[in-house]
Amino acid sequence: MQIKLDTPLDMHLHLRDEDMLKTVAPLSAKSFSGALIMPNLVPPVTTKEALLSYKDRIIDAIGDNEFTPYMTLFFKNNYSYEFLEDIKDDIIGIKLYPAGITTNSDGGVDNFDIETLRSTLEAMSRLDIPLCIHGESDGFVMDREKEFVPIYEELASSFPNLKIIMEHITTKDSVEALERHSNLYATITIHHLLITLDDVAGGMLNPHLFCKPIAKRYEDREALQRVALEANPKVMFGSDSAPHPQHAKESSHCSAGVFTSPIALQLLTQLFIDNNSSIENLQKFISSNAKDIYNISPKSKVITLEKKPFIVPNSYDNVIPMYASQTIDYSIIGIK
Ligand code: NCD
Ligand code: ZN
């Protein structure tokens, strides 16, 4: 049986820069129609000039592939209305990182007092610019996302016209919060739909599954699977595919990030089929929900998959993918 997926979108992607960009950008651009590009470069993308030149470098790196990079700016609480009005048409959203919480987030927000954030968030709300958030506190690693939920909720109630995307949610608490506020949405990764902390650290430590937020409990994974498999309109696929060179992953100070972009569609297809969901729901999760949430109309691209073993490569240049060398059940057999 062939499965056709129309216009797949990855609404949370790290493409990096320079050689790494050249390695990973074509892999996403091959099988996705577009992706929301994270701004956590060094230094982070905070100016129009940096944003447009990064976009040009991405377009160069994807070669002949038809692919739209939806650009984001790194949140700063001093962006003026005029600056945002000027950059609005070049971005799909602004990404807020708590300072120091993950890779290249040192310049993020260290004070979540609403009054400190008000002028920028009001401007974003008036200009209809979505706010994407990495929602983790600096508390105990398993509680970080849960501890951030009150901040999501305070922001959602204080700025009811601001679209807030809870990025890469990993817990049942986040799923519940999502359902309480009409202006909260979420991305979900393929790795958080498939693994728990047991896969990362329950047996021999697997650095290639280590990421922020860390994979959680079985009941958390079940809550994520429920909303993804039912194609709840508040959730969409965002891989958070976050490549690091092999030496940075297989290290005494392992960098956080799982590299999944070349196998994401195959694994999603397997997940939806094995759990008796439908291809219609998968279509919503990987494309239509995101189009509705972000009001975008990417160019069409149809990916055909089939139940046929695919051996995940050992590496893509110096990047080790999730499930390296393992066989997965579905393969991409056509791209049009
Ligand atoms: C991401 C990265 O490497 O840029 N890492 C990760 O573990 N997900 C940053 C992020 O999204 O947190
Ligand atoms: Zn990320």
Side-chain angles (χ1 to χ4, degrees), residues 152-153 156-157 159-166 176-186 232-234 293:
Y152 275 129
E153 298 214 54
S157 335
F159 304 95
N161 297 320
L162 180 67
K163 245 177 209 178
I164 300 176
I165 293 89
M166 305 165 74
E176 288 165 7
L178 185 65
E179 291 172 346
R180 283 195 293 272
H181 297 265
S182 62
N183 55 334
L184 284 183
Y185 300 87
N232 185 310
K234 302 294 280 303
I293 294 168

Side-chain angles (χ1 to χ4, degrees), residues 12-14 16 38 40 95 97 102 134 167-168 189 212-213 239-242:
H12 182 134
L13 178 65
H14 298 271
R16 314 299 192 205
M38 286 293 145
N40 61 332
K95 175 71 186 288
Y97 291 91
T102 188
H134 182 120
E167 293 297 336
H168 43 51
T189 73
K212 304 280 178 78
S239 70
D240 193 20
S241 183

Side-chain angles (χ1 to χ4, degrees), residues 1-3 273-274 305-309 329-331 333:
M1 188 186 65
Q2 292 193 348
I3 296 120
I273 291 181
D274 289 355
L305 297 104
E306 197 173 68
K307 186 158 189 190
K308 182 174 149 196
D329 290 357
Y330 285 82
S331 301
I333 58 159

